[in-house]
Amino acid sequence: MPSPQHLALSDRAPAQPRDDIVLRLRGAGLSFGSRLLWSGLDLDVRAGEFIAVLGANGSGKTTLLRSVLGQQKLQEGSIEIDGRAARRGDRRIGYVPQQRLAADGTPLRARDLVGLGIDGHRWGIPLPSRRRRGEVASLLDTVGARGYASSPVDQLSGGEQQRVRIGQALAGDPRLLLCDEPLISLDPANQRLVSELIDHHRHDRALGVLFVTHDVNPILPMVDRILYLAGGRFRIGTPQEVLRSDVLTELYGSPIEVIEAAGRIIVVGSSEEGHIP
């Protein structure tokens, strides 16, 4: 087994993101009561760059996304999207949530869910039009979901639902795509399909991607950099720079071993031993 300090974390050369910055955090900090989530966080996400956000439960991964979405106010620092201050309801941001099967009887078809990404932010009931139908059809084609456009959402598989949600997230032609644990509850085949779909569109549309996950393995070949949150501190770098025993030991303040087994990266000694937390 190779040394934990010199793992072959990816055989693919990193992507070459464009110079334009779609997300910029400067001195960002947030606490809940006496518990510090993170402080002094500086991060630039460039167009076409794929950044994985890792960390144990409660480290502030989803809260970071909520801050970028304007749903959680920072206590210090700033967030800019495409050079302008982040705000709630920003159409420059697409959002793919955790995969949760729709409840039985949900009165939405796949095409309706995608349509909400086009005009769901507007007041009133959207009026049918040839242009709107064309936009919905194009988005469904983009994510390979045309075949079940008329199917009720609650009858779709987890992977099919996530395809539709990606179509919805792309509807506003965003500059930044936020993904909050989008692979949860998916089997390995659908994890791969959904990951590859997101990866394809970040290249095709030059999207910056901030991808929160508890397990980096399904997306490791796609990741350019990692933001690792733990104990109120953070590390940013390539997978080879961050997923190291010495780095995570320093970050957690206790012995951590990073090993490669059966083609997967495993963290031993963390609070969520057995995978990347």
Side-chain angles (χ1 to χ4, degrees), residues 219-232:
I219 61 170
L220 190 57
M222 308 162 190
V223 170
D224 297 308
R225 289 191 294 155
I226 287 173
L227 167 60
Y228 205 118
L229 305 171

Side-chain angles (χ1 to χ4, degrees), residues 77-159:
S78 63
I79 301 176
E80 292 182 354
I81 308 295
D82 219 14
R84 291 173 286 172
R87 65 181 187 275
R88 196 181 186 99
D90 198 324
R91 297 286 287 168
R92 295 169 294 172
I93 304 174
Y95 177 68
V96 182
Q98 293 183 13
Q99 199 308 101
R100 295 187 179 93
L101 290 177
D104 291 343
T106 299
L108 284 175
R109 300 166 298 174
R111 67 171 74 251
D112 299 326
L113 194 60
V114 170
L116 290 174
I118 296 173
D119 47 29
H121 61 291
R122 301 173 186 163
W123 289 103
I125 300 174
L127 298 176
S129 68
R130 179 177 297 178
R131 177 178 178 180
R132 184 179 188 276
R133 287 193 296 269
E135 289 179 5
V136 169
S138 177
L139 287 163
L140 288 166
D141 281 341
T142 291
V143 295
R146 175 74 80 97
Y148 40 88
S150 298
S151 299
V153 174
D154 64 344
Q155 294 182 15
L156 301 179
S157 70

Side-chain angles (χ1 to χ4, degrees), residues 12 48-49 53 65 71 81 83 114 173 199 204 244 273:
R12 183 186 64 82
E49 187 176 25
V53 183
L65 298 193
Q71 298 172 355
I81 308 295
V114 170
D173 195 21
D199 189 47
D204 188 55
R244 297 165 50 102
E273 184 170 308

Side-chain angles (χ1 to χ4, degrees), residues 5 56 228 230-231 233 235 244-258 267-273 277:
Q5 304 297 338
Y228 205 118
R233 299 190 295 173
R235 291 291 184 275
R244 297 165 50 102
S245 299
D246 57 340
V247 171
L248 296 190
T249 292
E250 180 183 355
L251 194 58
Y252 277 98
S254 61
I256 301 291
E257 186 176 8
V258 180
V267 172
V268 180
S270 73
S271 60
E272 298 185 31
E273 184 170 308

